[in-house]
Amino acid sequence: MTLTENATWIDVCGIDELVADRGACVRAGLYQIALFRLSATNEVYALSNYDPTSGAFVMSRGIVGSRGDIPKVASPMYKQAFDLRTGECIDDANTSVMTFPVRVVEDRVLVGIR
Amino acid sequence: MGDRRTLVVAGHGMVGHKLIESLVERGATAEWDIVVFCEERHLAYDRVGLTSFFTGTTVEQLSLVAPGFFAGAGLEVHVNDPVVSIDRQAAKAVSRAGRVVAYDALVLATGSYPFVPPIPGRDLPGCFVYRTIDDLEAIRDFAATCSVGAVVGGGLLGLEAASALCHLGLETHVVEFAPRLMPMQVDDGGSAALRRRIEELGVAVHLSMQTETILAGAGGSVAGMRFAGAEDLRADLVVFSAGIRPRDQLARDCGLVVGERGGVVVDGGCRTSDPRIYAIGECAVASGRVWGLVSPGYQMARVAADRLLGGDAEFSGADLSTKLKLMGVDVASFGDAFATTPGAESIVYSDPVAKVYKRLVLAAGSHQVLGGMLVGDAAAYQTLAQMARGDMPTPEHPEDLILPDRAGSTAGAAGIEAVAGTATICSCNNVTKNAICDAVTEGALTDVAGIKAATGAGTGCGGCVPLVIDLLKAELRKCGVEVANHLCEHFAYSRQELFDIVRVHRLTSFSEVLTGHGSGWGCEICKPAVASMLASLGSGYILDGEQASLQDTNDHFLANLQRDGSYSVVPRVPGGEITPDQLIVIGQVAKDFGLYTKITGGQRIDMFGATVEQLPAIWARLIEAGMESGHAYGKALRTVKSCVGQTWCRYGVQDSTSLAIELELRYRGLRAPHKIKSAVSGCARECAEAQSKDFGIIATERGWNLYVGGNGGMKPQHAILFAEDLDRATLIRYIDRFLMFYVRTADRLERTATWLNKLEGGIDYLRRVVIDDALGICGELEADMARHVESYHCEWKATVEDEGRLARFRTFLNSDDSDPNVVFVRERGQPRPATDLEKSKPVEALL
């Protein structure tokens, strides 16, 4: 599920603060958001930092990569893979994490929250 | 249900238990009640592996009886209660405890007893036999006050006993009546090679010695031995191991026919002169002789089981080929080893320098292999024994099979494909090649464990496992199964192949490796794997530039991620030695940062509950106190545990602590396919548990014994004795080579134990690579290790000294807070992670 309607855009960091292919976490309102800047797609993805399997807020510390054509991050806790675009767990159809819309405006990263 | 029958089994040794297992497997308990009488305190155990009792194997590990086995219906066992008489008229057996059981059938599996020659003094305190766990415990207890031990008998069992005395730290002598060692298995040439090998281990060998008297000392116990025409030998413990005799007294007492030289005479169905009574194993005379090995005993057990169930199986003799490792020396004897076949000819290879002796017996004219013996190097045993059995054709130049390998030579590498389908692969459990191949194809098996479970092959002595592996691979290839060991979807290479690529092309970044040799964008499998290779090959700080994105979170924060998202911190405590001041600093740091402390299994202190923000400050304090990273977070060397050794301990024979510190400092930070653990014990009591480590060292009077491939963890495995009595320099050289060879060739997340299990040729092959430099790479391996040792730096020191590197240690890019979901409660005076219920404030953004 992605929030798009009535989103409030929050400036969370500069684009150069995001190390390529390594996650980082920001706070936006009540949310902890994991940001990933992928050099392969030149995109920034935003997922909830909450790992549904362990219950810890650690998703930003996972390793990014690909499965087939899918850009993914693997939870650092038990290594389930999540699709960075949709938040769906590739290894378990019943699990997913929330995603957030991202905009990069003049080298600033904005995430949309409700 | 009314016509259940009763089977009494007299004796619960290896063979007796095999009988019961065979019966249970075949569903015999549906019609039989099986009553077992076991004389010893212990149920059936692995008597063949008895000596390992002195190298740490426990009674439980030696046991052959699965827990709960006798809880099954129709089974009853009486321990410590042998059958003492049989009334054949009434068909009743009576036990020592007075149990009377009426039987429909009875199996004698009473085994044998050690023969003690009628020498005066043989009953003195300090005289022992070597047969049961009780014997071994008695020897061990008595040996504590002894310094010199002698074994009467230089055969297989005698050398086993000698090995045991060595392990107990005694000066050991072997006294043999015959002019050679192992007279039943090897000839004079083989004996000479064997003798030189075991004398190297410090065992004195005295051949052609006729013992006249065991001498008593002032205290009334053994003080020495007197021989015909030779000087006295001082000894305070004597073990008789001069052969076995069948235990046939029960049979004699009830009038069964026994052989001229003892043993209950049985027919091809293992039946005695009373059709209701069977005899199996070493108490029986079958096909005219007593069979003193476990494999024929097992065959008899299966025959008797089949007969009891109405079958007509026959025992018609067995192959007495054997391969053993005695005191670390390979000895094998197979087929017509002594060339008794008329016209047989021998080819002999003897290398007195390497102490290797090989004899191949060939039929006249046809040059078919008939038998042979191998001492010091038995690598060709399986192949040659198959040829001697006629299961495999003899090649054109059979002598190639016993000549030493030259670099690049493939002599002797006759494939498993050449073995006949009906050939027995596992002679302990009588499993043929066809049975294994069928199991692989029908059960869609893909590993040795599956084959073991399905067929039992490889579960006896284990000697056939290399053949089983070959067979599995060949079968899989035939089925068109590609035996792929690709690292992951991004690299069509095994870890070993990829490591070679990185090494040979001197690649220094993941992108280079991926662009040149992979596809996609990488993943959580290949990225840390390649990062580890780059680190093993010495590319400096592991978190700079692109490498930062490759590391697992543990390596990324140089700490261990815990279940709540906090981290733990472990400073290095080399060899487990720590000063009071350092202890105080650790305690103060833990107090100041609110950390939970626990002593680890590797003799250090783990501090739990640190947030990422706290890590640099914690480390600044630890580094100031002279401590450094313990690499608990890495697939790297963890600890080299030690006992206090000779410095303090009354029993220590070497300074184990100093060696442990030296080794830990040498190999600290070495990145490997998996974590590496080590330990050094200062004497054979082994307090540091070195035999459960990837590499373990145990002090001897003469130097250090090196063990490799041990493992605690998920699947515990004892380390294997790799080399003995090494000096410090040689020891370190071997460990350097061993570790680097492992780093180069193991699969990802493969501990040394698994790696060694899978290594073709096993420990012998490893010795050839590491000791004999068979691959010619030892120079490279040592250079790689030298580079590692030289370029080592503490990753935490390098981190706290660099502002840029410290930048990552924050939870949020846009806030200085730490994760509000990491919450602790106190328990037993320390913090621990709060459960969801305990977290007092509402959990933030729980989606």
Side-chain angles (χ1 to χ4, degrees), chain A residues 12 21-22 25-27 30 32 40-41 48 50 56-57 61 63-68 71-72 74 77 79 98, chain B residues 489-490 521-522 524 527 548-549 551 556 562-563 565 567 811-814 817 819-821 844-847:
Chain A
V12 289
D21 303 319
R22 180 94 239 178
C25 186
V26 294
R27 300 184 96 173
L30 282 177
Q32 286 192 25
T41 59
S48 167
Y50 177 73
F57 288 74
R61 303 176 204 163
I63 290 178
V64 297
S66 61
R67 172 134 1 138
K72 67 161 190 178
M77 203 66 85
K79 309 292 187 269
M98 197 174 183
Chain B
E489 68 172 77
H490 305 107
W521 312 334
E524 75 283 2
K527 281 181 168 181
S549 69
Q551 308 291 0
H556 191 239
Q562 302 299 329
R563 64 181 313 139
Y567 288 80
T811 303
F812 303 112
L813 280 183
N814 58 348
D817 294 345
D819 182 359
N821 296 291
E844 210 182 345
L846 201 60
L847 300 174

Side-chain angles (χ1 to χ4, degrees), chain B residues 210-339:
Chain B
Q210 192 181 343
T211 310
E212 286 192 328
T213 314
I214 307 296
L215 305 170
S221 68
V222 171
M225 299 172 73
R226 177 153 298 160
F227 307 104
E231 286 179 10
D232 290 352
L233 173 69
R234 190 181 86 72
D236 26 36
L237 187 155
V238 173
V239 178
F240 288 100
S241 201
I244 57 162
R245 296 289 183 270
R247 292 185 65 190
D248 55 11
Q249 197 58 46
L250 265 181
R252 286 175 190 271
D253 291 348
C254 67
L256 292 175
V257 175
V258 295
E260 257 173 62
R261 288 186 292 170
V264 191
V265 175
V266 297
D267 64 13
C270 293
R271 225 174 334 198
T272 66
S273 50
D274 178 337
R276 283 194 290 191
I277 301 181
Y278 298 76
I280 57 177
E282 290 175 344
C283 68
V285 172
S287 304
R289 58 166 292 173
V290 171
W291 300 81
L293 287 174
V294 72
S295 165
Y298 278 5
Q299 285 182 41
M300 286 185 236
R302 277 186 290 265
V303 168
D306 186 67
R307 292 291 179 132
L308 286 163
L309 294 169
D312 56 2
E314 287 272 338
F315 176 83
S316 53
D319 182 10
L320 286 177
S321 299
T322 39
K323 177 184 171 215
L324 342 130
K325 193 174 241 15
L326 285 164
M327 313 183 75
V329 185
D330 281 327
V331 179
S333 171
F334 54 95
D336 182 10
F338 290 92

Side-chain angles (χ1 to χ4, degrees), chain A residues 17-75:
Chain A
E17 289 180 75
L18 296 178
V19 176
D21 303 319
R22 180 94 239 178
C25 186
V26 294
R27 300 184 96 173
L30 282 177
Y31 297 108
Q32 286 192 25
I33 298 175
L35 296 176
F36 302 92
R37 178 161 72 86
L38 253 65
S39 51
T41 59
N42 202 27
E43 289 268 351
V44 177
Y45 304 92
L47 308 183
S48 167
N49 196 37
Y50 177 73
D51 170 20
T53 314
S54 65
F57 288 74
V58 292
M59 208 54 98
S60 62
R61 303 176 204 163
I63 290 178
V64 297
S66 61
R67 172 134 1 138
D69 296 330
I70 304 172
K72 67 161 190 178
V73 59
S75 159

